[in-house]
Amino acid sequence: MAGNPVAERDAMARARELAARGPRGVNPQVGAVLLSPDGRVLGEGWHRGAGTPHAEVDALSRLRPEEARGATAIVTLEPCNHTGRTGPCAEALLAAGVARVVYASADPGEASSGGAARLTSGGVDVDRLDEAEGEALIADWLFVQRTGRPRVTVKWAQSLDGRAAAADGTSRWITGPEARAHVHRERSAHDAIAVGTGTVLADDPLLTARVDGEPDAPQPIPVVFGTREIPAGAAIRQHPRGYRTAGHELERELFGLAAAGLQTLYVEGGPTLASAFLRAGLADRLTIYLAPTLLGGPRTVLDDIGVGTIDEQRRLTVTRLEQLGRDLLVEATTGKEH
């Protein structure tokens, strides 16, 4: 059955807007728009979190039964084909009498995929549209499905000679205000922020995201790696989202964070934690702030990362270079992207 290309493309763009209203977590953000055969919008829906109706069912709930028959469903993710906390969306669409389904990203789940095939076998016309945009919308969720862990960004600030602090341990401030403002935007863009207990004891950070002009900026949940006790008066105890603790087995802890619905982790600890993630091969991206200053001394930004000879060096792919005030931002990938 031929669709209405203009109406369907507009509806898919709208479905992505709706999807973004949903929370990030264990489930993907999904939006849906139902169109009449002549291209009119009949209803809209999005997924509001685990245990709530999926986007397609949410949209169907806004229609009278006779309106759904013969309609086209535009969905950002392939309708699911399994029963979890809610029933399969593919069956709901079939039962409603929807004639055509257009989706963007394929569902990668072993249990939940197969919705497109089920709809086709039920006589529904199925098509794909805006696949790249659909995958970009849920890129972090897709990363978790493929790897079982959050996407990890490791961040540090350094002098041009590779130091994170002066010889006496002082480090405020190596970088300027523009770089520090960028750090806060990066914090807000991640689901969680990681430091070690050493950083908590030495710097007493609050680890909130303070973004100029955005008093309600999303806050990452702090994760403190290590076994030393966090003092009763530590600033992190006042974080609006509380905090989590984690041990030294990084990969196992990352699996636990993913199970809790955290899709991205911003590692902002000192050299010990940054080196541990790199050494374990668990760093996917690096965000480095280079300050035009020299410090000398022993306080290097990294310690042992498992490189014994030059042939073992960790080559990076630089993805972004930007001047931030007097400092230089370098973003790179480690080759561990999935």
Side-chain angles (χ1 to χ4, degrees):
M1 182 182 80
N4 184 324
V6 174
E8 289 180 359
R9 193 165 293 280
D10 289 346
M12 186 63 81
R14 174 59 178 166
R16 290 195 296 271
E17 293 178 0
L18 294 168
R21 297 181 181 181
R24 290 166 59 91
V26 174
N27 297 108
Q29 295 169 296
V30 183
V33 176
L34 296 173
L35 300 177
S36 68
D38 62 359
R40 291 180 296 105
V41 173
L42 298 172
E44 300 178 338
W46 69 92
H47 188 221
R48 291 167 171 79
T52 66
H54 288 190
E56 303 93 317
V57 174
D58 186 38
L60 286 169
S61 71
R62 303 173 193 285
L63 274 64
R64 298 187 300 275
E66 61 272 17
E67 290 181 299
R69 288 191 289 273
T72 293
I74 309 295
V75 195
T76 58
L77 181 66
E78 177 186 6
C80 67
N81 192 42
H82 78 128
T83 300
R85 294 189 185 182
T86 59
C89 294
E91 297 296 340
L93 292 167
L94 285 169
V98 168
R100 177 171 165 80
V101 172
V102 180
Y103 68 95
S105 178
D107 191 326
E110 291 186 12
S112 56
S113 62
R118 175 67 186 98
L119 289 163
T120 299
S121 69
V124 175
D125 183 50
V126 178
D127 205 351
R128 296 285 294 276
L129 179 66
D130 292 354
E131 180 179 355
E133 293 86 344
E135 291 197 355
L137 173 71
I138 54 171
D140 294 327
W141 181 81
L142 289 171
F143 182 93
V144 173
Q145 306 316 299
R146 290 190 286 263
T147 66
R149 64 171 179 83
R151 192 193 305 271
V152 174
T153 299
V154 175
K155 164 263 178 184
W156 68 77
Q158 67 171 73
S159 62
L160 284 183
D161 55 346
R163 268 57 183 179
D168 65 355
T170 55
S171 60
R172 296 183 181 179
W173 296 101
I174 291 176
T175 55
E178 294 86 355
R180 297 198 297 274
H182 188 270
V183 169
H184 282 279
R185 292 195 296 273
E186 285 290 289
R187 287 181 177 183
S188 185
H190 287 76
D191 297 328
I193 180 171
V195 296
T197 51
T199 295
V200 171
L201 294 172
D203 298 339
D204 195 25
L206 180 57
L207 298 181
T208 53
R210 300 179 291 280
V211 181
D212 288 344
E214 297 183 34
D216 297 321
Q219 295 293 329
I221 184 168
V223 181
V224 182
F225 284 81
T227 56
R228 285 182 286 180
E229 186 175 353
I230 298 173
I236 198 171
R237 293 184 180 274
Q238 305 304 314
H239 193 282
R241 295 190 64 189
Y243 67 94
R244 296 173 61 102
T245 57
H248 294 297
E249 295 185 29
L250 298 185
E251 190 166 36
R252 185 177 73 177
E253 296 293 352
L254 289 179
F255 291 156
L257 294 179
L262 301 172
Q263 299 175 14
T264 55
L265 178 68
Y266 190 59
V267 178
E268 202 178 328
T272 300
L273 191 61
S275 299
F277 272 92
L278 284 163
R279 188 167 56 248
L282 295 172
D284 305 298
R285 296 172 173 170
L286 300 179
T287 300
I288 303 162
Y289 301 90
L290 292 174
T293 189
L294 302 173
L295 295 175
R299 306 277 184 167
T300 55
V301 294
L302 295 175
D303 48 43
D304 176 25
I305 60 170
V307 175
T309 71
I310 195 66
D311 292 337
E312 297 172 340
Q313 63 185 292
R314 305 289 183 89
R315 293 194 177 275
L316 309 174
T317 299
V318 175
T319 57
R320 181 182 179 190
L321 288 170
E322 183 179 343
Q323 191 85 27
L324 295 175
R326 66 178 187 176
D327 305 311
L328 182 66
L329 167 67
V330 181
E331 293 183 352
T333 58
T334 63
K336 295 294 183 180
E337 287 279 324
H338 295 262

